[in-house]
Amino acid sequence: MKLSSRKLVLKSLIHYRKSAFNQAVIIMVLTAVFTGSLLTGYSVRQSLRDSAGKRLGNTGLLISSGLRYFRPELDSKLTAVTGIKTASVLETEGSVEKFGNGNRIENIKIYGIRHTFFTLNNVQGKFIDNVDAAINEHLARRLNLSIGDEIIVTHRQISDLPSSSPFAPSAGNIASHVFKIKYIFTEEEAGNFSLEIKQTSPDNIFVNISELSRNGKANRILIEKDNSFSTDEIFEKLKSILVPADLGLKVRHSERTGFNEILTGRIFFDSTLVKEIKSIIPGASPVITYLVNSTEKEGRLNPYSFASAVEHSLYPEVPEGNKILINEWLASDIGAKKGDTLSLTWYDPDRISDFEENQGKFIVHDIVKIAGKWNDPELMPEFPGISGRQSCSRWDAGMPLKTELIRKKDEEYWNIYKGTPKIFLNYETGKKIWASNFGSATAIRVPPDISRDEILNALTGSIEPVKCGFAIRNIRNDMINAANQSVDFSGLFIGLGFFIIASCFILLIMAVNSFLDSRRSQIFSFFALGFSNRKIKKLLLAENLIISVAGCLAGVFAGIFFNEIVVRALNGVWRGAVQTDTIKAVTGLVPSFAGFLAAFLTSITLQFIRVRKFLKEMQMGESREFKVINVKPELIRIISTLFITAGIILLLADYAILKEPLLSVSYSAGGLLFAGLILLWFFLIIRKEAPLHKTVNSELAVSRSYYSFYPARAVMPVLLISAGLFAVIITGVNRLKVNESSLSQRGGTGGFLLWAETTVPVKENLNTKEGKKAHGLSYFPAETIFFLQAKRLQGDDASCLNLHHVTSPPLLGIDPSTLRERKAFSFSTLLKEANPSDPWEMLNRTPGENIIYGYADQTVLQWGLKMRVGDTLIYNAENGEKLYIIIAGGLKSSVFQGYVITGEEFFSRFFPSVSGYSVFLAGGNPELTGDYRKILSARFNSYGINIMSTRERLEKFFEVTNTYLSVFMVLGGLGMILGVIGLAFVLRQNYNFRRREFALMLATGFMVKKIRKILLKEQIIILVAGVITGTLSALTATLPSVEKSTDIPLVSILTIIMAIIITGMTALLFAIRSIDKDYLISALRKE
Amino acid sequence: MLRVLELRKSYPQRGIVLNGLSLELKESETIAVTGPSGSGKTTLLNLVGLLDRPDSGEILFREKLVNNYTVDEAADYRNRQIGFIFQDHLLLPYLTVMENILLPLSARQLEDDEYRVKVGYARELMERTGIMNLSSKYPWQVSGGEAQRAALVRALINKPSLLLADEPTGSLDAANAEILGNLLKEISSQYGTAVILATHSMTLAKKMSIIYKIENGKLVKI
């Protein structure tokens, strides 16, 4: 029998179930948006994490040799000392073509694998021999390939000797194979194996490692996950098992001289390795042997001789400084004697591809006989294009040889003495002129008293792997971390759903207000009966708690549904935002609970604030009904007129004065118009009425009298509808577009017409006559093309197309002189050290050892790398040292998005093995763009060229942002629709407040139909006023964009406006139906 | 029992309503306060019931100053000492007649024994006022007069010392008004409850022992 608080609350809720239900529905929608957004972010992150895990298969750690290679048997040796599964892999890129129909895909991944790859990934019963290939399902689908089909795979030649190394042979940079497809690997069979951090599905080909490279080398070791070793421990184990042969080093004994020497397959030893070997073998002495183009004395010229720079320790006779020894053959040939000054020319080792010659004068210190250690053909490195050739004129030294200079006697010398140097100078001098980015020695000689075996033993397990370019990382952790820190779709969708959330807030406040107002007399009863404030608050809040919990619980399920819809859309129509269709909708306890909690706390706080305010008002005896407006209508009219006039004048001036109307000016005009129209509406509401009999429409005059007392009830809905429409329309109109400005030199394309990438680097400078000739670009229209060429170091795409947070973006090395001349591109941010009128000059500067500057797209910095100007990226240079790249500026939306740009000079210094250029910007006559594209596609087909216009490239990036804007438009539109449904609330609320007034009108002869008509007209005017204000001001703000663009989503915008109007009308008509005569009469009777 | 000294109350829109009103009420005394609409009858009752605060003046209940009570003290005072009846019965539509009558008991913690005693008292009052058969009905299922009788019983459930009735018969027909008026008089004398009755109706006012009129914000005995 006891009337407990619980009973009071439940009975109240049951009685007011309609109002309670309305509130719960609003809370449900709010919760759905919060929960759905959190689940979407969770789904994306989880999908990226799952995808990363599946791609890595059983791989946990990764050892990489960077741009260098090692013997693949290293995996078995590492397994032997650690007991964990490992697999050597050769990873490279290329293109694939279906044999027969010419269908081709560029930029695929090619993996040279061994049986250890299958062991590591627990794949049973598979074997790939030299004629077979396996592909993944994604590639099979794209090229419509089946088992048994034949494919042509093209990639750059894999060789220890970089093709841009001095005297590397010119031929054979491209390798091609024909394979038969033996398997189509599923994901479970490691078909989607990838070491890249990105969400797009890879296109993979797996072949036998020994078929992929001439020397069967590898460049990656995959290490089993879940092992007990740390990365440092594994690296120590690696060091302990490294023998010289693993690193392409060999130790050779010379019978002729008695020396032992260490040689490298790369021909040149870089300085760090020289130092490392010298520290292991004291007495080891570097030698550098170089090809001298000409040796001349007073017009007598000797062509193409080798010269060796040696250390005093092994060759004490060699003089210091610019004094040289020459052999008797050379002395006789050019008539040189002791004391003579000879002029030597040679190609600059760092500018070999430009065929830049250097010259130096040297003094003959002595003439030696060709005997003993001076008769040493083994001093000449084993240049593949020179060693073993029958004659000098058959040399392939990677550069043009003037064969007409080679005489019979030169050929005779070659036949007898092969590459025996004719010139000897000291090592320090030789290093100054012939050391390059590739290294500072062609051999390391060891005194005869140290045997070959002793050398091998000393080097085994002693060379630091990092000095040979090895690096180890926890690739699994890196990928998971990148996925965890990926684009935050939770925050994004909560932001994009702002209008839905705002509408829910407003509707909830209105619903709670309405609920409380309708129970004013009952709450008064509680006061009168002696219930304390606290008790009354508790009762009301208890009701709200139950409503909130019910709404939030339902909202969680609605949010799960919302997430399903959004994920489907992300995989489909909104695919532009994620660039993949592999996102899976996942329900997680934590995000669901977080969404529940967020909505619950929000709704309960709103309700608490309203209840508290309401009770305070009741206590103070305040009537919410009687607040007198103290604003002078005339003042409002003047301000409104000023704003509207200012807006119109600004818009006219924008068009009349400025050649091209500015968006900032039109936006200001739109804003002024918006404010002016709202104030105008306010004025129309509060102005003093003319006598009733003088007004045209006396029904609305009565309404106007009411609203002049309570202007907020007319102005707030108009403000909300118009503000929402304004935001939705300007979002829809202002999509990112490639316009004239983007295509200009200062724009995002830099004035270039085409963007091209090749999988096989191009060695030649295509801006030179020789470069153009080499690739058939010497004739019109190709001769009119100019290029900006960039060397590329592979990395993880940092553009907006990659959802992951990357830390190793790909690097481009460019010669900034073209960009400096053209003052191409624009910058959003710049380091203060940079010169704003010549920012590209920064790429030529280095603030310290191993420190250089780089630029990146501002979008990449902010969203991809999450870095700022002045921050530093750290890379492993090829020689194992750290390279620090200070971000000196952010480019405005450019075609370079995804890359970090550095100067080519420094790039080549730290990554000399990147031979050639893989990224190109082509410029010329815009009318010939189509022709340029055809020609370049044809000429560089075998290089695996992928070419697009710079406009297309920018549009691809803009697609991501524009997709987000589309999402905002849709969700914003939904929010607006919710908002206009709130008009029905307002109608009911107004009606309840004015029941007495309407009851009196009924008593004086008005029909119920007429009363309904009055209420409906009021709300329609509010709806129309809101739509007109919002639309007109938005169109004003975006007029320049509307005029210029043909791809504004007009249909979508009109659909949203129509949906708002139709939903609003429907909601109003629905609400008006519930007003009936009997209810009014009963109110009259009571009064 | 009740002394009201020089009460003043004004409202922004209405101006001065009570202008130094004074009143003395003995235990069990019944008074009627009449006056035109807007004269301040409801204001006086609201001030005495601590539903509103005077601008100046004192309200002493059993010689204790009450108009400076805190909000919670005022609520407790209303629950224990005051019973309110309004023109509109203000019964909660979602509670039965019996639940409405017992509602004041939920304002504070009562022991089960005490609660049972009160319930018994409620039944007694319901019998007395002839609404026992309506205990399980809802307010919208009974007539105005019956609802107003239920409101009377609700006002008396805590045996208040003072009953404040603001136009209790305003919404009733003459017959029901007569019944209610008589009930007021009888119950007041039977249970010793003092009454301040605000009314337009002289017929009802005459049932009280003293009749006052509010004139110019002050009470004038008729």
PDB file of all heavy atoms in Angstrom, chain A residues 2-3 11 15 525 527 529-531 534-535 619 626, chain B residues 13 71-72 75 78-79 90 94 99 106 110 112 115:
ATOM      1  N   LYS A   2       2.079   1.146   0.565  1.00  0.00           N
ATOM      2  CA  LYS A   2       2.892   2.348   0.736  1.00  0.00           C
ATOM      3  C   LYS A   2       3.182   2.953  -0.639  1.00  0.00           C
ATOM      4  O   LYS A   2       3.556   2.258  -1.590  1.00  0.00           O
ATOM      5  CB  LYS A   2       4.215   1.976   1.431  1.00  0.00           C
ATOM      6  CG  LYS A   2       4.762   3.071   2.305  1.00  0.00           C
ATOM      7  CD  LYS A   2       5.907   2.543   3.168  1.00  0.00           C
ATOM      8  CE  LYS A   2       6.383   3.632   4.115  1.00  0.00           C
ATOM      9  NZ  LYS A   2       7.447   3.177   4.995  1.00  0.00           N
ATOM     10  N   LEU A   3       3.036   4.264  -0.716  1.00  0.00           N
ATOM     11  CA  LEU A   3       3.274   4.948  -1.980  1.00  0.00           C
ATOM     12  C   LEU A   3       4.750   5.354  -2.031  1.00  0.00           C
ATOM     13  O   LEU A   3       5.123   6.458  -1.667  1.00  0.00           O
ATOM     14  CB  LEU A   3       2.366   6.193  -2.058  1.00  0.00           C
ATOM     15  CG  LEU A   3       2.295   6.887  -3.414  1.00  0.00           C
ATOM     16  CD1 LEU A   3       1.765   5.953  -4.493  1.00  0.00           C
ATOM     17  CD2 LEU A   3       1.389   8.113  -3.322  1.00  0.00           C
ATOM     18  N   LYS A  11       4.488   5.163 -12.039  1.00  0.00           N
ATOM     19  CA  LYS A  11       3.116   5.533 -12.401  1.00  0.00           C
ATOM     20  C   LYS A  11       3.112   6.786 -13.281  1.00  0.00           C
ATOM     21  O   LYS A  11       2.333   6.894 -14.225  1.00  0.00           O
ATOM     22  CB  LYS A  11       2.296   5.774 -11.136  1.00  0.00           C
ATOM     23  CG  LYS A  11       1.917   4.500 -10.415  1.00  0.00           C
ATOM     24  CD  LYS A  11       0.711   4.698  -9.521  1.00  0.00           C
ATOM     25  CE  LYS A  11      -0.303   3.622  -9.823  1.00  0.00           C
ATOM     26  NZ  LYS A  11      -1.632   3.844  -9.426  1.00  0.00           N
ATOM     27  N   HIS A  15       1.808   7.025 -17.133  1.00  0.00           N
ATOM     28  CA  HIS A  15       0.768   7.985 -17.512  1.00  0.00           C
ATOM     29  C   HIS A  15       1.240   8.884 -18.649  1.00  0.00           C
ATOM     30  O   HIS A  15       0.496   9.176 -19.593  1.00  0.00           O
ATOM     31  CB  HIS A  15       0.360   8.815 -16.295  1.00  0.00           C
ATOM     32  CG  HIS A  15      -0.748   9.771 -16.561  1.00  0.00           C
ATOM     33  ND1 HIS A  15      -2.070   9.382 -16.588  1.00  0.00           N
ATOM     34  CD2 HIS A  15      -0.736  11.097 -16.834  1.00  0.00           C
ATOM     35  CE1 HIS A  15      -2.829  10.428 -16.857  1.00  0.00           C
ATOM     36  NE2 HIS A  15      -2.038  11.480 -17.012  1.00  0.00           N
ATOM     37  N   SER A 525       1.679  21.089  -6.913  1.00  0.00           N
ATOM     38  CA  SER A 525       1.048  20.282  -5.855  1.00  0.00           C
ATOM     39  C   SER A 525       2.095  19.704  -4.916  1.00  0.00           C
ATOM     40  O   SER A 525       1.920  19.723  -3.695  1.00  0.00           O
ATOM     41  CB  SER A 525       0.268  19.117  -6.444  1.00  0.00           C
ATOM     42  OG  SER A 525      -0.811  19.564  -7.217  1.00  0.00           O
ATOM     43  N   PHE A 527       4.972  20.856  -4.261  1.00  0.00           N
ATOM     44  CA  PHE A 527       5.447  21.943  -3.396  1.00  0.00           C
ATOM     45  C   PHE A 527       4.450  22.175  -2.279  1.00  0.00           C
ATOM     46  O   PHE A 527       4.796  22.275  -1.099  1.00  0.00           O
ATOM     47  CB  PHE A 527       5.598  23.241  -4.196  1.00  0.00           C
ATOM     48  CG  PHE A 527       6.927  23.406  -4.851  1.00  0.00           C
ATOM     49  CD1 PHE A 527       7.020  23.531  -6.226  1.00  0.00           C
ATOM     50  CD2 PHE A 527       8.090  23.459  -4.093  1.00  0.00           C
ATOM     51  CE1 PHE A 527       8.256  23.694  -6.837  1.00  0.00           C
ATOM     52  CE2 PHE A 527       9.329  23.606  -4.708  1.00  0.00           C
ATOM     53  CZ  PHE A 527       9.405  23.723  -6.090  1.00  0.00           C
ATOM     54  N   LEU A 529       2.211  20.316  -1.051  1.00  0.00           N
ATOM     55  CA  LEU A 529       2.049  19.222  -0.092  1.00  0.00           C
ATOM     56  C   LEU A 529       3.267  19.044   0.793  1.00  0.00           C
ATOM     57  O   LEU A 529       3.324  18.119   1.594  1.00  0.00           O
ATOM     58  CB  LEU A 529       1.773  17.924  -0.848  1.00  0.00           C
ATOM     59  CG  LEU A 529       0.434  17.904  -1.591  1.00  0.00           C
ATOM     60  CD1 LEU A 529       0.310  16.623  -2.418  1.00  0.00           C
ATOM     61  CD2 LEU A 529      -0.739  18.002  -0.616  1.00  0.00           C
ATOM     62  N   GLY A 530       4.255  19.890   0.621  1.00  0.00           N
ATOM     63  CA  GLY A 530       5.397  19.864   1.527  1.00  0.00           C
ATOM     64  C   GLY A 530       6.534  18.963   1.085  1.00  0.00           C
ATOM     65  O   GLY A 530       7.393  18.593   1.879  1.00  0.00           O
ATOM     66  N   PHE A 531       6.545  18.593  -0.200  1.00  0.00           N
ATOM     67  CA  PHE A 531       7.710  17.854  -0.683  1.00  0.00           C
ATOM     68  C   PHE A 531       8.883  18.820  -0.773  1.00  0.00           C
ATOM     69  O   PHE A 531       8.740  19.931  -1.265  1.00  0.00           O
ATOM     70  CB  PHE A 531       7.423  17.269  -2.076  1.00  0.00           C
ATOM     71  CG  PHE A 531       6.639  15.988  -2.038  1.00  0.00           C
ATOM     72  CD1 PHE A 531       5.278  15.997  -1.696  1.00  0.00           C
ATOM     73  CD2 PHE A 531       7.241  14.775  -2.317  1.00  0.00           C
ATOM     74  CE1 PHE A 531       4.569  14.810  -1.659  1.00  0.00           C
ATOM     75  CE2 PHE A 531       6.536  13.595  -2.287  1.00  0.00           C
ATOM     76  CZ  PHE A 531       5.186  13.609  -1.955  1.00  0.00           C
ATOM     77  N   ARG A 534      14.571  18.856  -2.935  1.00  0.00           N
ATOM     78  CA  ARG A 534      15.442  17.721  -3.249  1.00  0.00           C
ATOM     79  C   ARG A 534      14.602  16.517  -3.654  1.00  0.00           C
ATOM     80  O   ARG A 534      14.894  15.820  -4.611  1.00  0.00           O
ATOM     81  CB  ARG A 534      16.311  17.378  -2.040  1.00  0.00           C
ATOM     82  CG  ARG A 534      17.602  16.635  -2.440  1.00  0.00           C
ATOM     83  CD  ARG A 534      18.491  16.267  -1.265  1.00  0.00           C
ATOM     84  NE  ARG A 534      18.651  17.374  -0.333  1.00  0.00           N
ATOM     85  CZ  ARG A 534      18.472  17.248   0.978  1.00  0.00           C
ATOM     86  NH1 ARG A 534      18.126  16.104   1.515  1.00  0.00           N
ATOM     87  NH2 ARG A 534      18.632  18.294   1.770  1.00  0.00           N
ATOM     88  N   LYS A 535      13.533  16.304  -2.919  1.00  0.00           N
ATOM     89  CA  LYS A 535      12.671  15.155  -3.174  1.00  0.00           C
ATOM     90  C   LYS A 535      12.005  15.289  -4.550  1.00  0.00           C
ATOM     91  O   LYS A 535      11.926  14.327  -5.309  1.00  0.00           O
ATOM     92  CB  LYS A 535      11.620  15.057  -2.077  1.00  0.00           C
ATOM     93  CG  LYS A 535      10.751  13.843  -2.142  1.00  0.00           C
ATOM     94  CD  LYS A 535      10.975  12.931  -0.950  1.00  0.00           C
ATOM     95  CE  LYS A 535      10.279  11.587  -1.213  1.00  0.00           C
ATOM     96  NZ  LYS A 535      10.649  10.571  -0.284  1.00  0.00           N
ATOM     97  N   GLN A 619       9.892  28.094  -7.882  1.00  0.00           N
ATOM     98  CA  GLN A 619      10.047  28.601  -6.517  1.00  0.00           C
ATOM     99  C   GLN A 619      10.010  30.105  -6.478  1.00  0.00           C
ATOM    100  O   GLN A 619       9.477  30.704  -5.557  1.00  0.00           O
ATOM    101  CB  GLN A 619      11.416  28.184  -5.999  1.00  0.00           C
ATOM    102  CG  GLN A 619      11.394  26.861  -5.311  1.00  0.00           C
ATOM    103  CD  GLN A 619      12.760  26.611  -4.760  1.00  0.00           C
ATOM    104  OE1 GLN A 619      13.709  26.374  -5.490  1.00  0.00           O
ATOM    105  NE2 GLN A 619      12.881  26.711  -3.472  1.00  0.00           N
ATOM    106  N   PHE A 626       5.568  35.467 -18.835  1.00  0.00           N
ATOM    107  CA  PHE A 626       5.468  36.926 -18.888  1.00  0.00           C
ATOM    108  C   PHE A 626       6.820  37.623 -18.825  1.00  0.00           C
ATOM    109  O   PHE A 626       7.177  38.214 -17.834  1.00  0.00           O
ATOM    110  CB  PHE A 626       4.576  37.434 -17.756  1.00  0.00           C
ATOM    111  CG  PHE A 626       3.189  36.897 -17.861  1.00  0.00           C
ATOM    112  CD1 PHE A 626       2.701  36.024 -16.915  1.00  0.00           C
ATOM    113  CD2 PHE A 626       2.397  37.227 -18.951  1.00  0.00           C
ATOM    114  CE1 PHE A 626       1.426  35.512 -17.030  1.00  0.00           C
ATOM    115  CE2 PHE A 626       1.123  36.710 -19.075  1.00  0.00           C
ATOM    116  CZ  PHE A 626       0.622  35.849 -18.100  1.00  0.00           C
TER     117      PHE A 626
ATOM    118  N   GLN B  13       4.704  43.198 -12.617  1.00  0.00           N
ATOM    119  CA  GLN B  13       3.642  43.554 -13.563  1.00  0.00           C
ATOM    120  C   GLN B  13       2.402  44.105 -12.852  1.00  0.00           C
ATOM    121  O   GLN B  13       1.676  44.912 -13.416  1.00  0.00           O
ATOM    122  CB  GLN B  13       3.224  42.348 -14.412  1.00  0.00           C
ATOM    123  CG  GLN B  13       4.168  42.023 -15.545  1.00  0.00           C
ATOM    124  CD  GLN B  13       5.201  40.987 -15.133  1.00  0.00           C
ATOM    125  OE1 GLN B  13       5.233  40.563 -13.982  1.00  0.00           O
ATOM    126  NE2 GLN B  13       6.048  40.594 -16.054  1.00  0.00           N
ATOM    127  N   VAL B  71      14.388  26.601   2.381  1.00  0.00           N
ATOM    128  CA  VAL B  71      13.473  25.921   1.456  1.00  0.00           C
ATOM    129  C   VAL B  71      13.016  24.580   2.032  1.00  0.00           C
ATOM    130  O   VAL B  71      11.832  24.236   1.998  1.00  0.00           O
ATOM    131  CB  VAL B  71      14.188  25.717   0.086  1.00  0.00           C
ATOM    132  CG1 VAL B  71      13.419  24.757  -0.796  1.00  0.00           C
ATOM    133  CG2 VAL B  71      14.363  27.051  -0.619  1.00  0.00           C
ATOM    134  N   ASP B  72      13.929  23.852   2.614  1.00  0.00           N
ATOM    135  CA  ASP B  72      13.569  22.541   3.180  1.00  0.00           C
ATOM    136  C   ASP B  72      12.711  22.700   4.431  1.00  0.00           C
ATOM    137  O   ASP B  72      11.763  21.930   4.659  1.00  0.00           O
ATOM    138  CB  ASP B  72      14.831  21.740   3.501  1.00  0.00           C
ATOM    139  CG  ASP B  72      15.480  21.191   2.223  1.00  0.00           C
ATOM    140  OD1 ASP B  72      14.822  21.236   1.168  1.00  0.00           O
ATOM    141  OD2 ASP B  72      16.645  20.745   2.290  1.00  0.00           O
ATOM    142  N   ALA B  75       9.261  23.481   3.333  1.00  0.00           N
ATOM    143  CA  ALA B  75       8.575  22.287   2.826  1.00  0.00           C
ATOM    144  C   ALA B  75       8.068  21.432   3.980  1.00  0.00           C
ATOM    145  O   ALA B  75       6.938  20.941   3.970  1.00  0.00           O
ATOM    146  CB  ALA B  75       9.510  21.484   1.935  1.00  0.00           C
ATOM    147  N   ARG B  78       5.068  23.058   5.566  1.00  0.00           N
ATOM    148  CA  ARG B  78       3.857  22.849   4.767  1.00  0.00           C
ATOM    149  C   ARG B  78       3.325  21.432   4.946  1.00  0.00           C
ATOM    150  O   ARG B  78       2.128  21.195   4.993  1.00  0.00           O
ATOM    151  CB  ARG B  78       4.132  23.088   3.278  1.00  0.00           C
ATOM    152  CG  ARG B  78       4.051  24.521   2.847  1.00  0.00           C
ATOM    153  CD  ARG B  78       3.942  24.622   1.321  1.00  0.00           C
ATOM    154  NE  ARG B  78       5.094  24.041   0.662  1.00  0.00           N
ATOM    155  CZ  ARG B  78       6.245  24.679   0.482  1.00  0.00           C
ATOM    156  NH1 ARG B  78       6.406  25.917   0.932  1.00  0.00           N
ATOM    157  NH2 ARG B  78       7.234  24.089  -0.137  1.00  0.00           N
ATOM    158  N   ASN B  79       4.243  20.485   5.010  1.00  0.00           N
ATOM    159  CA  ASN B  79       3.825  19.087   5.108  1.00  0.00           C
ATOM    160  C   ASN B  79       3.165  18.769   6.448  1.00  0.00           C
ATOM    161  O   ASN B  79       2.178  18.037   6.501  1.00  0.00           O
ATOM    162  CB  ASN B  79       5.057  18.187   4.874  1.00  0.00           C
ATOM    163  CG  ASN B  79       4.699  16.731   4.749  1.00  0.00           C
ATOM    164  OD1 ASN B  79       4.980  15.909   5.622  1.00  0.00           O
ATOM    165  ND2 ASN B  79       4.033  16.400   3.632  1.00  0.00           N
ATOM    166  N   LEU B  90      -6.067  19.804  -8.309  1.00  0.00           N
ATOM    167  CA  LEU B  90      -4.632  19.460  -8.433  1.00  0.00           C
ATOM    168  C   LEU B  90      -4.325  18.049  -7.945  1.00  0.00           C
ATOM    169  O   LEU B  90      -3.284  17.801  -7.334  1.00  0.00           O
ATOM    170  CB  LEU B  90      -3.769  20.476  -7.673  1.00  0.00           C
ATOM    171  CG  LEU B  90      -3.745  21.908  -8.231  1.00  0.00           C
ATOM    172  CD1 LEU B  90      -2.710  22.753  -7.492  1.00  0.00           C
ATOM    173  CD2 LEU B  90      -3.453  21.935  -9.711  1.00  0.00           C
ATOM    174  N   TYR B  94      -2.329  10.409 -12.506  1.00  0.00           N
ATOM    175  CA  TYR B  94      -1.862   9.029 -12.653  1.00  0.00           C
ATOM    176  C   TYR B  94      -1.902   8.268 -11.326  1.00  0.00           C
ATOM    177  O   TYR B  94      -1.410   7.142 -11.221  1.00  0.00           O
ATOM    178  CB  TYR B  94      -0.447   8.990 -13.248  1.00  0.00           C
ATOM    179  CG  TYR B  94       0.559   9.915 -12.584  1.00  0.00           C
ATOM    180  CD1 TYR B  94       1.307   9.491 -11.502  1.00  0.00           C
ATOM    181  CD2 TYR B  94       0.753  11.202 -13.065  1.00  0.00           C
ATOM    182  CE1 TYR B  94       2.237  10.327 -10.916  1.00  0.00           C
ATOM    183  CE2 TYR B  94       1.664  12.048 -12.473  1.00  0.00           C
ATOM    184  CZ  TYR B  94       2.402  11.618 -11.394  1.00  0.00           C
ATOM    185  OH  TYR B  94       3.313  12.449 -10.817  1.00  0.00           O
ATOM    186  N   GLU B  99      -4.387   6.965  -3.545  1.00  0.00           N
ATOM    187  CA  GLU B  99      -2.961   7.282  -3.647  1.00  0.00           C
ATOM    188  C   GLU B  99      -2.737   8.788  -3.574  1.00  0.00           C
ATOM    189  O   GLU B  99      -1.782   9.250  -2.969  1.00  0.00           O
ATOM    190  CB  GLU B  99      -2.380   6.718  -4.948  1.00  0.00           C
ATOM    191  CG  GLU B  99      -2.207   5.209  -4.927  1.00  0.00           C
ATOM    192  CD  GLU B  99      -1.908   4.615  -6.288  1.00  0.00           C
ATOM    193  OE1 GLU B  99      -2.139   5.292  -7.336  1.00  0.00           O
ATOM    194  OE2 GLU B  99      -1.441   3.460  -6.344  1.00  0.00           O
ATOM    195  N   SER B 106       4.319  10.604   1.545  1.00  0.00           N
ATOM    196  CA  SER B 106       5.572  10.238   0.854  1.00  0.00           C
ATOM    197  C   SER B 106       6.590  11.353   0.891  1.00  0.00           C
ATOM    198  O   SER B 106       7.733  11.161   0.446  1.00  0.00           O
ATOM    199  CB  SER B 106       5.275   9.878  -0.607  1.00  0.00           C
ATOM    200  OG  SER B 106       4.363   8.819  -0.675  1.00  0.00           O
ATOM    201  N   LEU B 110       8.324   7.697   6.947  1.00  0.00           N
ATOM    202  CA  LEU B 110       7.455   7.321   8.056  1.00  0.00           C
ATOM    203  C   LEU B 110       7.687   5.853   8.377  1.00  0.00           C
ATOM    204  O   LEU B 110       7.899   5.039   7.477  1.00  0.00           O
ATOM    205  CB  LEU B 110       5.979   7.509   7.665  1.00  0.00           C
ATOM    206  CG  LEU B 110       5.460   8.942   7.551  1.00  0.00           C
ATOM    207  CD1 LEU B 110       3.992   8.921   7.107  1.00  0.00           C
ATOM    208  CD2 LEU B 110       5.572   9.692   8.872  1.00  0.00           C
ATOM    209  N   ASP B 112       6.557   2.153   9.390  1.00  0.00           N
ATOM    210  CA  ASP B 112       5.398   1.379   8.897  1.00  0.00           C
ATOM    211  C   ASP B 112       4.184   1.547   9.810  1.00  0.00           C
ATOM    212  O   ASP B 112       3.050   1.691   9.329  1.00  0.00           O
ATOM    213  CB  ASP B 112       5.761  -0.106   8.780  1.00  0.00           C
ATOM    214  CG  ASP B 112       6.677  -0.348   7.596  1.00  0.00           C
ATOM    215  OD1 ASP B 112       6.838   0.573   6.767  1.00  0.00           O
ATOM    216  OD2 ASP B 112       7.236  -1.459   7.475  1.00  0.00           O
ATOM    217  N   TYR B 115       2.666   4.868   9.356  1.00  0.00           N
ATOM    218  CA  TYR B 115       2.017   4.912   8.038  1.00  0.00           C
ATOM    219  C   TYR B 115       0.634   4.246   8.109  1.00  0.00           C
ATOM    220  O   TYR B 115      -0.360   4.764   7.598  1.00  0.00           O
ATOM    221  CB  TYR B 115       2.908   4.224   6.988  1.00  0.00           C
ATOM    222  CG  TYR B 115       2.525   4.532   5.564  1.00  0.00           C
ATOM    223  CD1 TYR B 115       3.050   5.639   4.911  1.00  0.00           C
ATOM    224  CD2 TYR B 115       1.592   3.730   4.871  1.00  0.00           C
ATOM    225  CE1 TYR B 115       2.692   5.940   3.604  1.00  0.00           C
ATOM    226  CE2 TYR B 115       1.231   4.036   3.569  1.00  0.00           C
ATOM    227  CZ  TYR B 115       1.785   5.133   2.941  1.00  0.00           C
ATOM    228  OH  TYR B 115       1.418   5.444   1.657  1.00  0.00           O
TER     229      TYR B 115
END
